[in-house]
């Protein structure tokens, strides 16, 4: 691989990793809250959180662009603070995080729902606070679901295209990821280059998905046991 390709792969993997780390704490919190929520309105919240999975990614990117652009409600606030997000590497991370968030929440929620509430109740009767019981009992028992969700989110972030191209653009050396580089190479008629990049992207995706599937199968065997 050339130095440019190595840099491109490194940037893509870094963006996916950072996006996953950014959404991990709020994703775990939301997943835990949903796993314990039995009141009205849960279906609406579930639907809203799932929208990035079913909407065209370009629609999500357009919403982010309208919110974060200089004339957008959040963009004005950020501009007054001297913070620029649109068409920066931060926008790539943000777009990837938004598109990956639902996958993390869904898998982590399943992990939390598998935890026997009686075990948490026992910890509470032994003097643990709600927070302490969560970190000592609930999270250790649900960790496989959280890790699977993180791997799924990472895999999704690796291949993000539609939202990224709108809110971050396709700037080589600044916001260009593997997906965007493949698109650009195809547009320029550089089919051989596009195929090489597609092969690298497929290899990265294979490793991430294989790890996810392996952990999912192991998790299933542990649950049945």
């Amino acid at each position: 691989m050339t130095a440019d390709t190595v840099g491109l792969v490194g940037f893509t993997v870094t963006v996916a990793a950072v996006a996953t780390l950014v959404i991990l704490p709020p994703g775990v919190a939301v997943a835990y809250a949903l796993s314990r929520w039995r009141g009205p309105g849960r279906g609406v919240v579930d639907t809203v959180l799932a929208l990035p999975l079913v909407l065209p990614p370009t629609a999500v990117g357009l919403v982010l662009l309208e919110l974060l652009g200089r004339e957008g409600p959040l963009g004005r606030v950020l501009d007054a603070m001297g913070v620029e997000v649109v068409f920066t590497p931060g926008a790539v991370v943000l777009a990837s995080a938004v598109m990956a968030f639902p996958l993390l929440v869904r898998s982590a929620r399943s992990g939390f729902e598998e935890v026997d509430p009686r075990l948490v109740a026992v910890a509470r009767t032994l003097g643990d606070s709600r927070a302490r019981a969560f970190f000592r009992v609930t999270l250790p028992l649900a960790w496989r679901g959280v890790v699977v969700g993180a791997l799924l989110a990472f895999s999704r972030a690796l291949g993000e295209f539609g939202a990224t191209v709108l809110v971050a653009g396709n700037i080589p050396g600044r916001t260009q990821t593997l997906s965007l580089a493949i698109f650009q190479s195809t547009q320029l008629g550089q089919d051989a280059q596009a195929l090489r990049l597609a092969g690298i992207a497929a290899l990265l995706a294979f490793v991430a998905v294989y790890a996810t599937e392996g952990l999912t199968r192991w998790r299933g065997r542990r649950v049945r046991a």
Side-chain angles (χ1 to χ4, degrees), residues 185-208:
S185 296
T186 303
Q187 292 295 101
L188 296 176
Q190 301 171 348
D191 293 346
Q193 172 71 359
L195 285 172
R196 282 194 294 270
L197 294 176
I200 294 171
L203 178 60
L204 291 174
F206 176 85
V207 172

Side-chain angles (χ1 to χ4, degrees), residues 8 12 158-159 161 170 176-202:
L8 185 63
T12 302
L158 277 177
F161 174 82
N170 185 11
Q176 189 176 74
T177 61
L178 267 173
S179 299
L180 296 173
I182 292 169
F183 174 76
Q184 183 181 53
S185 296
T186 303
Q187 292 295 101
L188 296 176
Q190 301 171 348
D191 293 346
Q193 172 71 359
L195 285 172
R196 282 194 294 270
L197 294 176
I200 294 171

Side-chain angles (χ1 to χ4, degrees), residues 59-79 83 85-86 94 98 166-167:
V60 177
L62 180 60
V63 172
L64 291 175
L65 185 61
E66 291 296 322
L67 287 173
L68 298 170
R70 288 191 173 181
E71 299 303 318
L74 293 179
R76 292 194 190 98
V77 175
L78 293 173
D79 189 52
V83 177
V85 176
V86 175
L94 177 63
V98 170
L166 278 179
V167 76

Side-chain angles (χ1 to χ4, degrees), residues 117-136:
R118 290 174 297 182
L119 298 176
V120 181
V122 169
R124 294 297 305 279
T125 60
L126 293 176
D128 282 350
S129 65
R130 188 180 299 274
R132 187 175 176 84
F134 173 79
F135 285 107
R136 291 188 62 188

